[in-house]
Amino acid sequence: MEIARAAAALFVRQGLRATRAEDIAQAAGIAPRTFYRYFASKEEAVAPLYAAGAQRWTEAVRAAPASLGVLEALRHAVRETLTPGFGVSASAWEWVRTLIRLADASPALRKVWAEVCQAEEGALAEILAHRLSAHARQAAAVGEAADSAGTSRTDGREDTRDNVSHPEPHSSPDPHPAPDAGPALPPNPNPNQDPAAPASAPPRLRFAAAVAGAAIRVAVESWAATTEPPTGANGPATLALHNLDALAHFAWEEAD
């Protein structure tokens, strides 16, 4: 990440065209040969910074409260990561603006930005798939517990009517109590699968993830093209929340 920060600082200070890979290596305190061991070009040097911003949002979706629906989890992640002061300071957003503008002006840097965004769309699709499958397991567990409780109560009433030697009905604790409907998602029922491993995303869910990713990317790019502050009605968070409305009527249950 030190190389990426050095590259970004030089790009911002003296421009992309005037910056050489050797300049980045010198600023990072490494040999040019070491630089080219990690990056094929000077433009690729800032890929870790682009990726860090994108990953911050997708990880916020993963960490969103389990009680939230998918769209609300996406909106929650936007507020957590695109609002200055939560994860990135207002001054850091000015660096973001410059780097996004540089990507718009340089085909090579635009390619790096596009590849990062595409990779994070794939990661987001897997996160959404895991979230939906966990919600489905939770709903199924609650439904099964309710059915078991209903069957138990019915059996108890039939036993009371048939047991003529006891005129008073006998009460006992419900042997199948419904589980506590707390915020935690249920564990993966497959013992051979890593519980942390996300479910595979079907095509329809990958499409939704691409739309959500584009909503964030376009919001950030649209804001970066202006001189607006990163807060307020024209900030990236507000623009992204507006763009996510495109998924307001998406049938998430059918996408899993």
Side-chain angles (χ1 to χ4, degrees):
M1 190 62 76
E2 290 301 321
I3 300 175
R5 292 193 182 99
L10 288 172
F11 290 168
V12 170
R13 185 166 63 247
Q14 62 189 38
L16 178 64
R17 182 172 299 179
T19 301
R20 303 174 304 161
E22 291 75 13
D23 299 329
I24 299 172
Q26 183 178 11
I30 60 174
R33 183 174 59 183
T34 303
F35 174 88
Y36 285 112
R37 186 182 304 162
Y38 294 99
F39 306 105
S41 67
K42 63 182 182 181
E43 290 84 5
E44 288 185 10
V46 295
L49 287 178
Y50 285 145
Q55 289 168 3
R56 187 178 297 113
W57 180 66
T58 54
E59 287 304 311
V61 176
R62 187 196 303 275
S67 58
L68 297 180
V70 176
L71 183 56
E72 281 309 309
L74 294 171
R75 289 169 173 161
H76 172 85
V78 165
R79 297 185 188 98
E80 288 288 313
T81 58
L82 299 188
T83 303
F86 278 87
V88 180
S89 65
S91 60
W93 271 104
E94 292 306 319
W95 277 60
V96 172
R97 192 199 304 268
T98 301
L99 289 174
I100 296 299
R101 286 181 175 180
L102 287 173
D104 188 54
S106 166
L109 198 55
R110 190 182 313 129
K111 179 176 180 290
V112 173
W113 169 239
E115 288 174 349
V116 167
C117 292
Q118 184 176 16
E120 286 309 307
E121 285 176 7
L124 177 62
E126 298 298 328
I127 290 171
L128 297 183
H130 177 77
R131 193 174 189 88
L132 283 171
S133 62
H135 283 164
R137 292 196 302 271
Q138 184 181 52
V142 172
E144 290 175 2
D147 290 344
S148 297
T151 301
S152 175
R153 285 192 295 269
T154 300
D155 291 344
R157 287 194 298 269
E158 290 174 353
D159 290 344
T160 299
R161 289 193 299 268
D162 293 341
N163 191 351
V164 295
S165 63
H166 298 282
E168 294 295 328
H170 176 69
S171 61
S172 60
D174 191 340
H176 302 283
D180 181 20
L185 293 176
N188 192 325
N190 185 353
N192 297 320
Q193 182 178 357
D194 181 359
S200 179
R204 184 171 168 81
L205 195 54
R206 293 202 301 270
F207 166 77
V211 173
I216 308 306
R217 176 179 55 79
V218 171
V220 173
E221 292 175 347
S222 299
W223 166 79
T226 72
T227 58
E228 295 288 339
T231 57
N234 295 314
T238 303
L239 296 176
L241 290 172
H242 177 74
N243 291 347
L244 283 175
D245 287 343
L247 291 170
H249 301 293
F250 186 79
W252 296 103
E253 294 78 7
E254 298 176 7
D256 187 22

